[in-house]
Amino acid sequence: EIKKLKKINDYEWEIPPRGEMRVPGRVFASQDLIEDMDDKVYEQVTNVACLPGIVRASIAMPDAHWGYGFPIGGVAAFDPDEGGIISVGGVGYDISCGVRTLRTGLKREEVLPVLERLVDELFETVPSGVGSEGEIRLSPQKLDEVLVGGARWAVEKGYGEPEDLEYIEEKGCLPGADPSCVSMEAKRRQHRQVGTLGSGNHYLEIQYVAEVYDRKIAEAFGLEKDDVVITIHCGSRALGHQIATDYLQVLAKASRKYGIPIKEKELVCAPIRSPEGEKYFKAMACGVNCALANRQVITHLVREVINAFFKHARVTLLYDVSHNTCKVEVHEIDGKPRRLYVHRKGATRAWGPGRKELPEAYREVGQPVIIGGSMGTASYILAGTEEGEKKAFGSACHGAGRTMSRHQALKRFRGERVIDDLRKRGIIVRAKSKRGAAEEAPEAYKDVTQVIEATCRAGLTRKVVKLLPLGCIKG
Ligand code: 5GP
Ligand code: MN
Ligand code: MN
């Protein structure tokens, strides 16, 4: 498979168009990452390149691995004026899964003496685990307000501060959401899940700034060495999953109806300008808003805990990014602005300096891009670039990416042992499921540093700070 790749430069590879491909495939990665990459990624990138209305290229990020239909770490933009499509597989099951990082204004040495108690208190306060339920109970009617309002709904209900909204993509609320496009089943399942972390890969982590790479940008982001931050990773819980499940069926029918050739079951899609495509977009926007509300409510819970320990600490939102979305964005293609539906699955939006949508504080330096590594390794905060907008619609990786399947990891590691080993290194982990901890062993992920180097050297982002974990809560 690798032989089919044409090297453009040290960090950029092309799958030249052949057969039914409408555009080339483009993989951003170092030689080492390419050699380790799952061959399925190339096949999936190629399949996506065959979809109607795709613009410029079918793209894979350095952390790419196999996913349903589209690779995880995949980016593809479609033009509605050219018959472009929208696809469940291009967004993912956990609609708007994403990360947000909170500044605490605290230094590492202040937190270390209470670290264990702090982790325990966060573990008690933020509901986590499979099917976890929170204090907020919402009837389907009440839930509709969440699906339309997103994080704005949460702030109006007292979960958080109005200023938080400024530091969320779309200012906390994606327009176009229509709850009538979401099934009762999806709403019923979400009844008590707003404000819960979920399971497995989702986490709440206490981290500190271990290294500053770019002083100017770090200053704009309000980060200094040894600052303690808290990162929340979760998505739209049962609601998003049910929307995806429901619409896979709708779009399977649509693909046949509109005669779109489908190479893999999860690549089913509908023209953006079709009743089915429009409906999915409206439902997906509900999923996005649900995730934004979810992370906002958790932020409120985190604030309460931090302030119980440190009365005067001011917890502020650095930024909230989603890495499973389809968004309508204007991009310049061959000198002309075009309105595109940009799918990012396991990929983060990474806009460069100047974009008017960015909060004023970051407009000169570019968007904060928050990247998780694993509970035992570094995580990073990067900044978007103009070059990335030209090369990849302003997108970056979203994590280290798995190198082992959950199944393989379970065979290799024992949860208790993983947690013990981390404790010996000073990292306090609390996990609802020991099995989950095994699946999430740091060794089950690629080397995040390599992924970050490749993403930055490809020009997609700039390295701003490195974070190291102090404590982690896993579902
Ligand atoms: P995903 O959204 O694909 O499940 O995961 C995003 C990324 O988060 C993964 O690729 C992985 O690198 C990272 N990650 C998973 N678990 C943890 C964790 O406990 N802590 C941190 N910092 N990152 C994690
Ligand atoms: Mn998720
Ligand atoms: Mn995620």
Side-chain angles (χ1 to χ4, degrees), residues 39-232:
D39 280 352
K40 272 296 241 179
V41 170
Y42 309 121
E43 198 182 314
Q44 294 194 315
V45 167
T46 301
N47 290 344
V48 171
C50 301
L51 293 171
I54 185 165
V55 176
R56 197 145 61 189
S58 165
I59 298 169
M61 290 293 149
D63 57 334
H65 51 106
W66 176 89
Y68 290 109
F70 286 57
I72 295 172
V75 178
F78 298 87
D79 187 338
D81 293 334
E82 314 248 299
I85 55 88
I86 184 164
S87 167
V88 174
V91 173
Y93 275 94
D94 191 3
I95 297 168
S96 202
C97 187
V99 272
R100 66 162 60 185
T101 296
L102 310 170
R103 288 173 293 238
T104 64
L106 299 165
K107 287 289 182 191
R108 184 171 168 234
E109 63 268 19
E110 291 172 85
V111 171
L112 281 179
V114 297
L115 180 62
E116 183 126 17
R117 283 201 296 129
L118 186 58
V119 175
D120 279 333
E121 199 55 36
L122 286 167
F123 190 52
E124 281 287 307
T125 307
V126 178
S128 64
V130 181
S132 46
E133 298 190 325
E135 294 299 317
I136 303 174
R137 293 156 207 240
L138 296 165
S139 67
Q141 290 73 21
K142 285 279 168 212
L143 191 66
D144 285 356
E145 294 173 18
V146 179
L147 306 191
V148 173
R152 216 175 281 164
W153 168 88
V155 170
E156 277 163 17
K157 295 289 171 199
Y159 302 106
E161 297 162 12
E163 192 196 270
D164 296 344
L165 298 174
E166 182 65 27
Y167 297 97
I168 305 175
E169 286 180 352
E170 326 301 335
K171 307 237 183 294
C173 174
L174 187 64
D178 180 351
S180 75
C181 299
V182 176
S183 69
M184 256 334 200
E185 173 67 359
K187 293 178 194 175
R188 197 190 53 70
R189 288 183 61 193
Q190 189 64 20
H191 174 55
R192 288 188 63 179
Q193 296 205 344
V194 172
T196 66
L197 199 61
S199 62
N201 50 338
H202 299 131
Y203 61 85
L204 194 165
E205 197 163 277
I206 307 175
Q207 304 156 319
Y208 72 97
V209 177
E211 214 169 327
V212 175
Y213 302 105
D214 189 313
R215 254 173 218 297
K216 179 175 161 248
I217 306 183
E219 198 186 326
F221 289 176
L223 295 173
E224 281 176 20
K225 193 164 169 13
D226 289 322
D227 280 356
V228 170
V229 298
I230 295 187
T231 298
I232 300 163

Side-chain angles (χ1 to χ4, degrees), residues 72 97 201 203 205 207 233 323 372-375 379 398-402 440 445 472 474:
I72 295 172
C97 187
N201 50 338
Y203 61 85
E205 197 163 277
Q207 304 156 319
H233 174 222
H323 49 232
S374 79
M375 57 183 168
S379 295
H398 87 307
R402 294 195 78 90
E440 291 294 317
Y445 286 98
C472 184
K474 282 289 209 176

Side-chain angles (χ1 to χ4, degrees), residues 374-411:
S374 79
M375 57 183 168
T377 55
S379 295
Y380 288 84
I381 295 181
L382 318 171
T385 64
E386 274 161 11
E387 193 181 347
E389 291 190 29
K390 296 197 181 81
K391 286 185 167 172
F393 304 103
S395 311
C397 60
H398 87 307
R402 294 195 78 90
T403 168
M404 252 179 239
S405 69
R406 293 183 173 279
H407 183 74
Q408 284 170 321
L410 266 183
K411 279 206 268 184

